[in-house]
Amino acid sequence: MVSLTLVEEAEQDKITANQFFKDKKYLVSIEWYTKAIEKNPSVPAYYGNRSFAYLKTECFGYAITDADKALELDRTYLKAYYRRAEANMALGRYKKSLADYDTVRRARPKDKDAQVKFKECDKIVKRLAFERAINVDSLKKSVIESVDMENMVVEDSYTGPKLGDDFKVSLQFMEELIAWYRNQKVLHRKYAYGMLISIKKYFETQPSLVRVTIPSSNKFTVCGDIHGQFYDLLNIFEINGLPSETNPYLFNGDFVDRGSFSVEVIFTLFGFKLLYPDHMFMARGNHESINMNQMYGFDGEVKEKYSKNMSDFFTEIFNWLPLCHVINNGVFVTHGGLFQEDGITIEDIENFDRNRQPPESGVMCDLLWSDPQCFSGRSASKRGVGVQFGPDVTNAFLERNRLKYVIRSHEVKDEGYEVSHDGKCITVFSAPNYCDQMGNKGAFITLKEDLVPKFTTFDAVPHPDVKPMAYANNLLKMSGFM
């Protein structure tokens, strides 16, 4: 039995946590909710509140665990059903979300919010079932087969950047494209499709693990998540220079979603990849997938600026993005992290069949979703997908593959980067003030031939008045996600 003093202290901790949550200091609020739980573990609301904070920090696995605990204490605590539904929805587990929304709307038949969320989730489940049914006969056909490029007319009124009949990208085109995008204008669909066709053909020829060599006279820059923050991407180029044969870059996944200029980001990156294929590198992130794109905005943005066909074509292209890189035979770079199983080699990854949507377990899933932890061993993922891996796991992987350290992205860091596992695991995140509310810096890493990392941090820059998540799924926006 909890003493009256602890009950009162726990309630005060909850009040403190609520204020931090209101101030959008979600990690701090989690610490205070945890203190309240430690003092009085029998209050469902403490778990429900912490679950919401975990949702805000994308710890969907932890959010589900807390919602489950709240319901274990009180099956009638409806907020927990909401939290669990929202977490499963964020992971693309729509049927599980639907079941929880159904529970809430049955318990509260007059609650309009519960009814609307159930109906929206039901629409998603039915739409996905319909799409699976109609796609059965066309699984081997590319979307581009239905696009009539020859008869696609560039109207006289279009005054933006143009490509020739071969759709070959030049530096002049890229400079004009960046200026065009700065002014919030859209590249003509004919040139957009031409670039996408070229980039898909290129990525189809690449291995799942790409080996990169830094010339002795050059630096090499690694960037983390961009998440549709186009104007912050341009700031990186202002600080560090445009990609070129003497200024190579690796962008380590999550180019799109959340930020509402994802189309501009992806065409800019693809353009430089086409211009400098041996000096511009791109790896797949967990957000280069259909579930994430349909929830977090890229799918909606492409449909708004172009068409459903083009959105579907992006899905095909993302399936061919490499999963990771090795720099100078010493640095392993991937979006998420390491593996649930020992014994994985870079040769295993190099030959991995990646042309698919990411599964919920296995090598590909771990590369895109996993996170480091400070203690040894492995733990269930805070995200609900992938695994958390300790310094011993990192050391074993590096020793097995004769590598020096790991660079990964995938997590917001206050300073834009974090060094962990005794310097052998580095996180880099390049989207400052993530979603216009996290207050973090962005960062990028520069390397030379000796592979000693140099960190550059930067603040967010102003962008046009289009809020993050402007194109996100309606249900996601209704649920209070950033």
Side-chain angles (χ1 to χ4, degrees), residues 258-296:
R258 293 191 178 271
S260 296
F261 304 96
S262 292
V263 164
E264 291 81 357
V265 167
I266 197 65
F267 275 112
T268 299
L269 297 180
F270 279 172
F272 279 117
K273 179 62 179 173
L274 290 169
L275 181 59
Y276 304 116
D278 298 326
H279 302 87
M280 172 73 174
F281 302 91
M282 299 175 69
R284 191 175 191 174
N286 63 300
H287 274 266
E288 279 70 57
S289 64
I290 192 168
N291 276 345
M292 295 293 104
N293 295 163
Q294 288 179 343
M295 293 303 299
Y296 290 96

Side-chain angles (χ1 to χ4, degrees), residues 384-426:
V385 187
V387 69
Q388 291 179 200
F389 59 96
D392 57 326
V393 176
T394 299
N395 284 331
F397 174 78
L398 294 174
E399 289 175 7
R400 185 179 307 110
N401 291 283
R402 299 176 183 175
L403 298 167
K404 294 183 177 181
Y405 61 91
V406 173
I407 295 176
R408 43 90 60 181
S409 303
H410 196 39
E411 285 185 287
V412 182
K413 298 297 177 184
D414 286 344
E415 294 301 313
Y417 73 95
E418 182 178 81
V419 180
S420 59
H421 294 185
D422 296 321
K424 293 182 179 179
C425 183
I426 299 172

Side-chain angles (χ1 to χ4, degrees), residues 100-111 114-115 118:
D100 280 334
Y101 283 131
D102 189 34
T103 299
V104 176
R105 67 140 187 163
R106 289 177 184 276
R108 291 181 178 171
K110 294 183 179 180
D111 186 332
Q115 297 296 330
F118 172 80

Side-chain angles (χ1 to χ4, degrees), residues 321-339:
L321 285 167
L323 300 176
C324 50
H325 294 74
V326 171
I327 302 172
N328 278 20
N329 295 317
V331 182
F332 181 77
V333 188
T334 192
H335 179 73
L338 300 181
F339 311 99

Side-chain angles (χ1 to χ4, degrees), residues 106-234:
R106 289 177 184 276
R108 291 181 178 171
K110 294 183 179 180
D111 186 332
K112 290 183 179 180
D113 182 63
Q115 297 296 330
V116 169
K117 287 180 177 177
F118 172 80
K119 288 178 181 177
E120 285 292 324
C121 192
D122 190 43
K123 284 180 187 176
I124 294 172
V125 171
K126 289 177 178 175
R127 174 176 56 78
L128 292 175
F130 175 73
E131 289 176 356
R132 282 194 297 270
I134 64 173
N135 284 336
V136 168
D137 295 329
S138 58
L139 288 177
K140 295 183 180 180
K141 293 181 181 179
S142 173
V143 170
I144 205 63
E145 293 179 29
S146 64
V147 177
D148 187 359
M149 292 290 289
E150 288 187 12
N151 293 313
M152 194 177 291
V153 176
V154 179
E155 299 80 3
D156 292 339
S157 60
Y158 176 74
T159 59
K162 298 180 180 180
L163 293 168
D165 292 340
D166 60 357
F167 299 109
K168 189 172 182 179
V169 171
S170 66
L171 180 57
Q172 179 182 343
F173 171 82
M174 289 306 303
E175 290 172 342
E176 291 175 357
L177 181 65
I178 288 172
W180 189 248
Y181 279 157
R182 276 189 189 274
N183 292 319
Q184 293 182 267
K185 297 181 179 180
V186 177
L187 179 67
H188 194 278
R189 66 189 183 284
K190 183 163 188 172
Y191 305 131
Y193 270 119
M195 291 176 68
L196 295 181
I197 292 168
S198 297
I199 202 72
K200 181 171 183 279
K201 287 179 180 177
Y202 176 84
F203 282 131
E204 286 174 343
T205 68
Q206 297 299 292
S208 293
L209 179 148
V210 177
R211 298 174 188 266
V212 180
T213 301
I214 304 174
S216 56
S217 59
N218 290 355
K219 68 178 181 181
F220 187 90
T221 302
V222 181
C223 295
D225 304 41
I226 301 295
H227 275 301
Q229 297 185 198
F230 176 68
Y231 296 86
D232 292 310
L233 171 65
L234 296 190

Side-chain angles (χ1 to χ4, degrees), residues 24-55:
K24 299 179 180 178
K25 297 180 179 179
Y26 303 119
L27 292 175
V28 182
S29 75
I30 288 168
E31 293 176 7
W32 283 95
Y33 287 132
T34 301
K35 289 179 182 180
I37 289 168
E38 288 171 348
K39 291 171 182 174
N40 187 2
S42 61
V43 181
Y46 296 169
Y47 296 96
N49 289 3
R50 190 172 67 175
S51 179
F52 198 14
Y54 278 136
L55 284 170

